[in-house]
Structures are given as structure tokens and as C-alpha cells.
Amino acid sequence: MEELEHTCPLPRTTLIEPAIFTPETSCECRAPHEKLTVEQARLGTPVDRPVRIYADGIFDLFHSGHARALMQAKNLFPNAYLIVGVCSDELTHKYKGFTVMTEEERYEALRHCRYVDEVLRDAPWTLTQKFLEKHKIDFVAHDDIPYSSAGSEDVYKHIKEAGMFVPTKRTEGISTSDLITRIVRDYDVYARRNLQRGYTAKELNVSYINEKKYRLQNQVDRMKEKVRTVEEKSKHFVYRVEEKSHDLIQKWEEKSREFIGNFLELFGPDGTWKQMFQERSGRMIQALSPRGSPSSSPPREFSPSRSPSPPSRWAMPRTSPPSSPKGASASISSMSEGDEDEK
């Protein structure tokens, strides 16, 4: 137990609990606390003698720029113990201006940052030698830009001259002032946003006329959103119809090609229907035409017992058929004359 009483608080190894608050009386560190140089701190110190680094600020609207600065401070030396001082509302309002978050909210925000080992409430605006000795601070971490405030061109000037200052780098593009500027610039948007979420005009310090204007704008925006949604659905529907139409046209073309191919195969110049028609026509002609005697049959011989019968007197001489009506009448007249001679 005696050894524990004479050791410094060690850096946090687990993150299941928030950082502790600095005791109101004095530092609990009872280990020998000789002064360190930056080179000695970079080489490393014993486990029970961490390098105590102090970083202070307002930390209003705690953001990634704050967290990155504390991360750099925590990783300056191999065995570092990071103490973060947070100024009270009274000091901040006096020297810098009003804050969005209260001091208690800012204390709690720092306690839940993974790089912080200890939070010092109601931190002083200017660091004194007595304060540094009380909390056994080895180095002070802050960005290297001169910080003019409280009638001083740089409140860290004496820290730099004492060789106790270690610089960190600012994160460009984000700061508490930038965040507040965004809100002020788009005030109407955020006022409408909070009205829509149930805040009253009194809570937002909005006049009656502006409240009605914001609510009307919210209704217009909702209507626009509905129209936009309908348009998107319509576009999706039209796209699906076009896609289906394309598929139907493609299938119709395929079926058309198939139908035309089958039609040509059946009724084309060399189609099946023509062949069937020719076969049936040939069968019908063959069935209707008389069968002729074979050309190779021998000539018929008369029997010797039979003599050819004499020609009949009424036998008509073979004449060729008349080629015209006149020829037919001439034939009839000649036949009548012959009959008269026989009489």
C-alpha cells in the first residue's frame, strides 16, 4: 500500500470508464518529480514516472479538431499522462465570448475522449508557475500560433521561454467558430428543422410571423418531396414498361421470323405444299387418262378361213373433217348427189 501512495496516477489502459477529475487540493503524484527535458521525455521514463502533459482550452461544441489535438499531445512521448484543463463559463464569457455548451457539458465531453487521462475543471486563463508546480506539469501542449488574450500578445510566451512548450498542429477546415458560422448562415433552415421536430417558436425565439412562414415553407418542401417521389416512381415505372416493351418486341420479332420461315417452307417455290399439289395433280391426270395399247404388240393376222368382208355399200369414205362451215356444206351436197346417181 505504501508503494501505491508514492506513485503517480498511471495513464489509462482501459476505456470502460471516463477520465477522472483532478482533485481540488493538490496533485496525488508523490513520486520524485525532477524536471525533464524534451529529449529525456522522448527517450522514455519509468512506468511510475509518466510525463505529465497539460493541454487547456474551451472545447465548446467538441469536434474532431479538438480530438486530434489531444491525440497529438497524448502521443508526444512514450509514457505520457494527459491532463486537460477546461475553462469555466465565467472566464470564457469574460475573455472570449458566449459558449453554446455549458461548462458541465464541456467537462463531460472531455471526460469521454479516449486520449484524456484527467480533466481539470475551472482551469486558469493564464498559467502561473505556482499552478504548474501544484499539478507537477512537465510540458504544456498547444498549437504554435501566438494566442493573444487578456492583454497579452501570447499567453504561452513564458511557457515557451521556459522550454516547457510542445507544439501540436491545428486541423484545417473545422473549428467551433466555423460550426457556429454554418448555423448562423443557415439560420432559417435550422429554425424550420427544429420547428418540424416539435420545438416551439418560443423555445427558438422565433416571432409569430416567422413561425407561420417557416411552417408554410415546411409544407411546401414536403409537397415538393412528394412530387419528387412520384416522379421517381413514374420514371421507374416507365423504365420497367420500356424494358417489358423491348422484351415483347424482341419476342414478337423472333416469332415473326419463325412464322415467315415456316410459311416459306410450306408455300415457297420449293415448299412442301407445292410438292404435295404436284403429286396429287399427277395422280389425278393418271387416273383420268385412258390406258393406250402397248406399242410393241404384234400386228393382228387374219385367219385364212375368213375372207375380208366386202365393203358395204353404205360405207362412208373417210374424209378429213371440214376445216370451215363452207367445207362442211360442200361435203353434205356431194353426199346428196351421190345418192341420186345410185337411184
Side-chain angles (χ1 to χ4, degrees):
M1 291 292 294
E2 290 185 20
E3 291 183 1
L4 292 175
E5 289 178 358
H6 294 289
T7 57
C8 281
L10 299 179
R12 288 192 298 164
T13 56
T14 58
L15 299 175
I16 58 174
E17 294 180 356
I20 63 172
F21 284 123
T22 303
E24 297 292 338
T25 55
S26 62
C27 176
E28 292 183 350
C29 179
R30 302 184 184 279
H33 200 84
E34 67 281 359
K35 188 175 181 180
L36 295 174
T37 63
V38 175
E39 289 74 16
Q40 290 173 333
R42 286 176 179 167
L43 291 174
T45 57
V47 177
D48 61 345
R49 173 54 175 95
V51 180
R52 293 173 66 83
I53 302 172
Y54 179 79
D56 60 356
I58 309 303
F59 302 105
D60 191 21
L61 297 177
F62 188 80
H63 52 75
S64 61
H66 295 140
R68 289 177 67 87
L70 298 176
M71 177 187 70
Q72 295 176 58
K74 177 70 174 176
N75 290 278
L76 286 169
F77 307 110
N79 185 22
Y81 185 84
L82 181 58
I83 307 165
V84 179
V86 184
C87 299
S88 65
D89 288 345
E90 183 181 355
L91 277 178
T92 305
H93 298 169
K94 179 180 179 181
Y95 292 111
K96 192 168 185 178
F98 288 102
T99 58
V100 178
M101 301 168 68
T102 64
E103 59 185 39
E104 293 298 331
E105 291 170 339
R106 292 184 285 117
Y107 297 155
E108 285 299 317
L110 267 298
R111 288 187 71 197
H112 292 83
C113 177
R114 62 185 297 183
Y115 309 113
V116 179
D117 296 301
E118 185 175 314
V119 174
L120 191 147
R121 294 170 289 189
D122 194 11
W125 198 260
T126 304
L127 303 180
T128 62
Q129 188 63 32
K130 182 180 178 180
F131 174 84
L132 298 175
E133 291 176 357
K134 175 183 176 181
H135 296 283
K136 294 185 178 180
I137 295 170
D138 293 306
F139 300 101
V140 176
H142 200 273
D143 62 78
D144 204 13
I145 302 172
Y147 193 85
S148 60
S149 180
S152 174
E153 294 182 359
D154 188 1
V155 295
Y156 297 105
K157 182 178 179 182
H158 63 290
I159 304 294
K160 295 175 182 177
E161 291 173 350
M164 298 177 63
F165 186 86
V166 283
T168 57
K169 292 183 179 180
R170 293 176 64 89
T171 301
E172 296 296 331
I174 186 167
S175 68
T176 301
S177 298
D178 291 339
L179 296 177
I180 294 174
T181 299
R182 296 180 200 175
I183 297 172
V184 172
R185 180 187 61 202
D186 300 323
Y187 170 78
D188 289 354
V189 174
Y190 294 113
R192 289 165 51 192
R193 171 187 179 274
N194 282 10
L195 281 173
Q196 196 171 3
R197 280 161 175 74
Y199 287 87
T200 64
K202 185 177 179 181
E203 290 174 322
L204 298 174
N205 195 25
V206 172
S207 66
Y208 177 81
I209 296 175
N210 284 336
E211 179 191 4
K212 296 303 178 184
K213 181 184 73 173
Y214 294 150
R215 293 193 185 280
L216 178 61
Q217 289 174 340
N218 286 336
Q219 291 178 359
V220 172
D221 288 346
R222 284 195 294 269
M223 185 62 66
K224 287 181 179 178
E225 187 64 29
K226 287 182 180 179
V227 171
R228 193 178 298 112
T229 303
V230 171
E231 287 180 351
E232 291 295 329
K233 289 182 179 179
S234 301
K235 288 179 182 178
H236 182 66
F237 176 74
V238 171
Y239 174 77
R240 290 186 62 187
V241 169
E242 289 178 351
E243 190 176 14
K244 292 288 185 183
S245 302
H246 180 72
D247 293 339
L248 290 173
I249 292 171
Q250 189 174 3
K251 290 180 181 179
W252 182 82
E253 289 178 349
E254 292 176 358
K255 292 293 183 182
S256 299
R257 294 192 193 97
E258 184 179 353
F259 175 77
I260 293 171
N262 293 336
F263 182 85
L264 292 176
E265 184 178 354
L266 187 62
F267 297 103
D270 299 324
T272 306
W273 181 260
K274 182 178 181 181
Q275 294 178 4
M276 292 172 60
F277 180 77
Q278 289 177 348
E279 289 178 2
R280 289 186 181 182
S281 299
R283 289 175 186 174
M284 291 178 64
I285 293 171
Q286 187 176 1
L288 294 174
S289 61
R291 294 183 179 179
S293 58
S295 59
S296 58
S297 59
R300 183 179 295 178
E301 295 180 358
F302 293 99
S303 174
S305 60
R306 289 184 181 184
S307 58
S309 57
S312 173
R313 62 187 295 267
W314 298 104
M316 298 286 293
R318 288 187 180 182
T319 59
S320 59
S323 60
S324 64
K326 291 182 179 181
S329 59
S331 299
I332 294 172
S333 59
S334 61
M335 288 174 61
S336 58
E337 289 177 0
D339 289 340
E340 290 177 356
D341 291 341
E342 287 180 1
K343 288 179 181 180

